[in-house]
C-alpha cells in the first residue's frame, strides 16, 4: 500500500523550507534508531535551494552531519567538477559548507569511460554500505527526486532501457533525446526507500504533474509513475504554480 501525500507550498522557498524541516526530522529519527542517516540526493536545479538552506545558519547545526551518508539518485556522465555534474552542484551548495566527513560522501563514479563498469562499481558501493547479500535491495532513509517536464525522474527517462531494469541496483542509461549517458538508481531501489520525496516547482511542471498524479498509468511515457514505495512514504512537495495551475479550468 503506497502512502502518498502532497504538500502544496506558495513558492520554491517554501518547498525548500518544508523539505529541509523533513530532512532534519528524518535524520534525527534515523540517527536515533540506527546511528546513521542514508540519503540519495536529487540532481537538476530545483534542489539547489534546499541544499543551500540545509547549509545555512538556520539548519546547518540541526543535522548531525558526521552521521549522515550522502549518495546520489543519478548522475550525468561528466567529470565531478563539470558544471553539469549533480555532485558538483551539491558540492557547491552543501558539501563545502557542512562538516560532513569526506568518507560519508558516496559519489557516483560517472566520469568513468566504461559506464557499465561505473554502474557496477556504484552497486558495489551500495552493497558494501548497506551490507547486502546478492539480490537484496538497499533501504535508503530518504531519496530526494525531481521530475522533468517529460515525466522523468532521476535518470529514468521515457522509453529508455533503465525503466525495465529490475535485477540491478544501478543502471547506465543512454538518453537519446539528450544524446547523453547517465547513471541512475533503478526503480526497485527507489521503491524500497523508507521515504521518497519529489520536489517540484514551477508552472512548466503543472501539466506533467497532473498527468503523473491523475492521468492513466503509462510508466514508459511517464516514468515518475513507477515510483511507488512498497513499504514507505511517497511525498510530493510542490509549489502552487506546479500543482494548482494544472487544476485550473482552461
Ligand atoms: C537530473 C535529475 C533529474 C531532475 C529533473 C528535474 O540529473 O537532471 O536528477 O531527474 O530532477 O530533470 O530537474 P529540475 O529540478 O532542473 O527541473
Amino acid at each position: 500500500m503506497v502512502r502518498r501525500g502532497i504538500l502544496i507550498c506558495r513558492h520554491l522557498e517554501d518547498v525548500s523550507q518544508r523539505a529541509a524541516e523533513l530532512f532534519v526530522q528524518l535524520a534525527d529519527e534515523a540517527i536515533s534508531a540506527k546511528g546513521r542517516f542514508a540519503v540519495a540526493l536529487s540532481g537538476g536545479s530545483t534542489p539547489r535551494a534546499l541544499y543551500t538552506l540545509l547549509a545555512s545558519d538556520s539548519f546547518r547545526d540541526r543535522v548531525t552531519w558526521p552521521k549522515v551518508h550522502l549518495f546520489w539518485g543519478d548522475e550525468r556522465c561528466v567529470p565531478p567538477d563539470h558544471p553539469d555534474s549533480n555532485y558538483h552542484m551539491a558540492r557547491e551548495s552543501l558539501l563545502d559548507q557542512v562538516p560532513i566527513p569526506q568518507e560519508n560522501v558516496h559519489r557516483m563514479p560517472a566520469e568513468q569511460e566504461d559506464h557499465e563498469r561505473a554502474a557496477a562499481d556504484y552497486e558495489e558501493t551500495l552493497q558494501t554500505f548497506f551490507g547486502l547479500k546478492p539480490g537484496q535491495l538497499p533501504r535508503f532513509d530518504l531519496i530526494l527526486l525531481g521530475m522533468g517536464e517529460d515525466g522523468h525522474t532521476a535518470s529514468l527517462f521515457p522509453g529508455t532501457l533503465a525503466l525495465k531494469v529490475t535485477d540491478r541496483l544501478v543502471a547506465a542509461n543512454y538518453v537519446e533525446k539528450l544524446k547523453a549517458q547517465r547513471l541512475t538508481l533503478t526503480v526497485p531501489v527507489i521503491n524500497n526507500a523508507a521515504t521518497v520525496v519529489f520536489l517540484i516547482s514551477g508552472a512548466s511542471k503543472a501539466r506533467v504533474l497532473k498527468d503523473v498524479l491523475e492521468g492513466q498509468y503509462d510508466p514508459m511515457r511517464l516514468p515518475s509513475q513507477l515510483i511507488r514505495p512498497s513499504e514507505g512514504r511517497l511525498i510530493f512537495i510542490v509549489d502552487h504554480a506546479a500543482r494548482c495551475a494544472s487544476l485550473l479550468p482552461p
Side-chain angles (χ1 to χ4, degrees):
M1 169 68 179
V2 178
R3 286 175 288 145
R4 185 176 94 175
I6 302 176
L7 292 176
I8 302 176
C9 304
R10 280 175 304 160
H11 37 61
L12 178 57
E13 288 68 27
D14 289 351
V15 167
S16 306
Q17 181 72 27
R18 293 301 295 266
E21 293 290 353
L22 181 60
F23 186 101
V24 167
Q25 175 201 329
L26 294 176
D28 284 351
E29 290 169 4
I31 292 167
S32 303
K34 297 179 290 186
R36 58 114 168 112
F37 179 48
V39 194
L41 298 179
S42 171
S45 57
T46 303
R48 183 187 285 269
L50 165 61
Y51 302 161
T52 303
L53 189 57
L54 285 172
S56 72
D57 292 345
S58 317
F59 282 89
R60 184 187 320 109
D61 298 338
R62 294 175 56 190
V63 178
T64 309
W65 294 102
K67 303 280 189 186
V68 175
H69 285 263
L70 296 178
F71 300 79
W72 273 260
D74 72 317
E75 186 56 278
R76 292 86 180 275
C77 290
V78 295
D81 58 356
H82 190 285
D84 287 350
S85 160
N86 289 332
Y87 166 82
H88 177 71
M89 184 271 278
R91 166 110 266 148
E92 277 188 332
S93 55
L94 177 62
L95 304 182
D96 287 348
Q97 329 292 334
V98 297
I100 186 167
Q102 184 55 41
E103 62 271 21
N104 289 23
V105 178
H106 310 277
R107 182 179 70 79
M108 284 187 163
E111 71 279 15
Q112 288 180 24
E113 282 300 308
D114 181 341
H115 303 121
E116 294 299 333
R117 177 75 261 151
D121 287 350
Y122 204 63
E123 176 153 334
E124 207 172 304
T125 297
L126 296 178
Q127 287 170 330
T128 303
F129 178 81
F130 288 97
L132 304 177
K133 297 187 179 69
Q136 284 187 323
L137 293 171
R139 185 164 173 79
F140 282 94
D141 299 300
L142 171 62
I143 294 183
L144 293 170
L145 296 174
M147 188 187 296
E149 294 177 28
D150 60 358
H152 82 263
T153 189
S155 282
L156 300 163
F157 284 80
T160 59
L161 295 176
L163 298 185
K164 296 189 172 168
V165 174
T166 55
D167 60 346
R168 276 172 283 149
L169 307 184
V170 185
N173 197 28
Y174 181 71
V175 185
E176 178 59 35
K177 71 180 276 192
L178 302 176
K179 297 280 190 280
Q181 187 72 41
R182 297 280 190 101
L183 295 186
T184 187
L185 295 183
T186 56
V187 173
V189 170
I190 299 172
N191 282 340
N192 197 51
T195 301
V196 178
V197 175
F198 275 94
L199 301 179
I200 303 172
S201 169
S204 68
K205 305 290 177 74
R207 176 74 264 163
V208 71
L209 180 60
K210 181 177 175 66
D211 289 348
V212 165
L213 292 178
E214 299 167 15
Q216 195 177 359
Y217 186 65
D218 185 3
M220 287 303 285
R221 186 175 65 86
L222 296 167
S224 293
Q225 290 182 331
L226 289 166
I227 307 308
R228 308 151 76 102
S230 47
E231 300 290 331
R233 288 185 301 178
L234 175 58
I235 302 173
F236 290 80
I237 306 181
V238 306
D239 67 8
H240 196 273
R243 182 60 179 144
C244 300
S246 69
L247 301 178
L248 297 174

